[in-house]
Amino acid sequence: MKTINEHIKQNSFVHVYLLYGKEQQAVRIYRNKLLKALLGTDSLDELKQDMNFSLFVGTPFDVSSAIEIASSYPFFAEKRVILIENSKAFSAENAGLAKCIRELPETNYVIFTEEEISSKKGLFEAIKEVGYVCEINEQPQGFIEGWIIKELSFSGKRISRTALDTLLNRTGMDMMRIKNEMDKLIAYKGEDTDIKVDDVLALVSENPQNQVFKMVDAMSEKKVDLAMQFYSDLLELKVAPQKILSLIERQMRILYQVKDLRSKGFSTNAIADSVKGIKYVNKLVNQASKFSMKEITDCMNDCVDLNLKSRTGALTDRMAVELIIVKYSQRSSTK
């Protein structure tokens, strides 16, 4: 993504970009940056009126038309831009489109956006060869905070530091969810400029992963009743038991990494740098210290085993979660 920013800063672009990954909100942000830099606006409604802009969305994808347009020079303009979104064009080699990409006129630019890439041959290889490929997944917290502040300012809103922390604590780093919650907050505040902690608490529901953290924390403290209460809260939030089981397993995998690095003498800052996508490292170190490594590995294995049993009907999914909570809320002599 730094490469895209550098291209824009220098006003020097490659002729084809592929932006893909799980964080689709960030994909859209960088797509819009490219559109604005190339054509002066990122408004698709405005661009649709431009005869030198073409948009292909979804399937079925008309490959022949895309090749024809991409091979044609712009009409009384310096640039022609073709935007191709969620086309599934990377599910096959697409030799014809790959050839077109390699032979684009100097005036033409093609931007692909996808959520997943199922084949990294043919078309993908062509773009990598002559253009720029950027996989965009979970973004750093600093980037997300800056984006939130900027988006809210566009709507005439400000958010306090504590309200921002509370928002991220409840949503996690999922930018799509954050965008939805921001839209709710903007509508809720009306003419009022300032978004406060109470506004976030009133409108934004708790992030299931945060609830699971609290539940696992109660398990680490061997407080089975409290852990069961957090489990009940998750069910009230309409989180499926199998999802809860997978979140417990995810939390244990993080604790495994944290505990392993801690045992090797890593500082909290070094752990934060080594384990991708984690927050509140001190809390994780503290939580990991209350489980033995055997408990953590056994819990991960039990989560997988019980998930399979619940899927095959050997026991209910609710019972699977309850067994994990009860078993790992019991005291162990080894840490």
Side-chain angles (χ1 to χ4, degrees):
M1 293 178 293
K2 289 181 180 178
T3 301
I4 294 175
N5 288 331
E6 196 63 29
H7 289 178
I8 293 170
K9 182 179 178 180
Q10 295 178 359
N11 195 33
S12 177
F13 303 93
V14 294
H15 288 272
V16 57
Y17 291 86
L18 167 59
L19 313 177
Y20 76 99
K22 295 178 181 178
E23 189 46 87
Q24 286 292 291
Q25 190 65 41
V27 167
R28 277 189 281 276
I29 288 171
Y30 281 92
R31 174 203 71 184
N32 289 350
K33 283 187 174 188
L34 285 169
L35 289 174
K36 191 165 186 177
L38 289 167
L39 294 173
T41 180
D42 58 11
S43 168
L44 293 183
D45 288 336
E46 290 181 26
L47 288 171
K48 286 174 185 176
Q49 309 304 314
D50 186 338
M51 64 181 66
N52 291 306
F53 173 78
S54 299
L55 174 63
F56 295 84
V57 180
T59 56
F61 170 43
D62 190 343
V63 179
S64 297
S65 292
I67 291 173
E68 182 180 353
I69 294 169
S71 303
S72 303
Y73 285 92
F75 187 72
F76 292 115
E78 294 181 356
K79 298 183 183 78
R80 178 185 292 280
V81 175
I82 301 95
L83 175 60
I84 302 171
E85 300 204 290
N86 299 316
S87 64
K88 305 296 182 187
F90 297 87
S91 59
E93 291 196 19
N94 251 318
L97 189 53
K99 183 175 184 294
C100 170
I101 289 301
R102 287 189 172 97
E103 299 172 354
L104 281 175
E106 285 297 308
T107 54
N108 292 6
Y109 299 84
V110 180
I111 302 170
F112 290 90
T113 70
E114 297 282 340
E115 186 167 352
E116 293 181 337
I117 299 295
S118 56
S119 174
K120 293 189 176 180
K121 296 182 178 180
L123 179 58
F124 184 92
E125 290 175 330
I127 296 173
K128 198 169 183 180
E129 179 184 322
V130 301
Y132 178 65
V133 174
C134 183
E135 183 177 6
I136 304 177
N137 293 314
E138 185 175 290
Q139 296 299 291
Q141 184 169 339
F143 173 88
I144 293 175
E145 288 181 355
W147 167 69
I148 291 170
I149 292 168
K150 188 175 181 180
E151 287 289 307
L152 290 174
S153 70
F154 285 152
S155 299
K157 299 288 184 282
R158 295 177 305 211
I159 187 167
S160 69
R161 178 72 247 181
T162 50
L164 178 58
D165 289 341
T166 304
L167 175 64
L168 290 177
N169 188 45
R170 293 204 157 205
T171 60
M173 297 297 143
D174 182 342
M175 292 178 70
M176 187 66 74
R177 185 181 175 203
I178 294 170
K179 181 66 168 64
N180 291 337
E181 299 298 347
M182 281 197 294
D183 289 343
K184 283 162 54 179
L185 286 164
I186 290 166
Y188 175 74
K189 294 301 290 185
E191 298 298 318
D192 194 352
T193 301
D194 295 314
I195 295 173
K196 301 173 183 177
V197 173
D198 288 345
D199 302 319
V200 177
L201 293 174
L203 266 71
V204 182
S205 60
E206 185 75 78
N207 179 18
Q209 183 61 56
N210 291 340
Q211 286 291 93
V212 168
F213 183 95
K214 294 175 184 177
M215 184 173 71
V216 172
D217 212 41
M219 290 162 59
S220 76
E221 297 280 357
K222 310 309 174 190
K223 297 177 180 177
V224 64
D225 290 341
L226 181 58
M228 291 297 288
Q229 182 57 58
F230 284 124
Y231 176 43
S232 178
D233 292 344
L234 282 162
L235 294 175
E236 287 185 15
L237 288 170
K238 309 298 183 186
V239 184
Q242 285 188 339
K243 174 68 173 176
I244 296 170
L245 202 58
S246 68
L247 289 173
I248 294 173
E249 183 196 356
R250 177 183 181 274
Q251 181 67 15
M252 287 298 177
R253 289 191 184 281
I254 292 171
L255 294 182
Y256 180 92
Q257 294 177 74
V258 169
K259 194 172 184 72
D260 180 57
L261 291 171
R262 194 63 166 171
S263 71
K264 294 174 180 176
F266 279 57
S267 67
T268 53
N269 287 338
I271 291 171
D273 291 337
S274 299
V275 184
K276 186 178 179 182
I278 65 169
K279 295 168 53 182
Y280 312 121
V281 182
N282 287 325
K283 290 183 179 180
L284 286 167
V285 169
N286 182 56
Q287 191 176 93
S289 71
K290 296 173 184 175
F291 288 107
S292 68
M293 190 62 94
K294 184 177 186 305
E295 281 181 304
I296 293 172
T297 53
D298 285 351
C299 186
M300 288 191 293
N301 292 332
D302 283 348
C303 284
V304 173
D305 181 54
L306 290 172
N307 197 0
L308 178 61
K309 287 181 178 178
S310 69
R311 289 178 185 276
T312 56
L315 78 168
T316 66
D317 50 7
R318 286 196 176 203
M319 180 62 72
V321 179
E322 289 169 10
L323 286 171
I324 290 289
I325 292 172
V326 171
K327 180 176 180 179
Y328 293 97
S329 294
Q330 295 175 355
R331 296 197 175 276
S332 171
S333 59
T334 305
K335 293 290 185 285

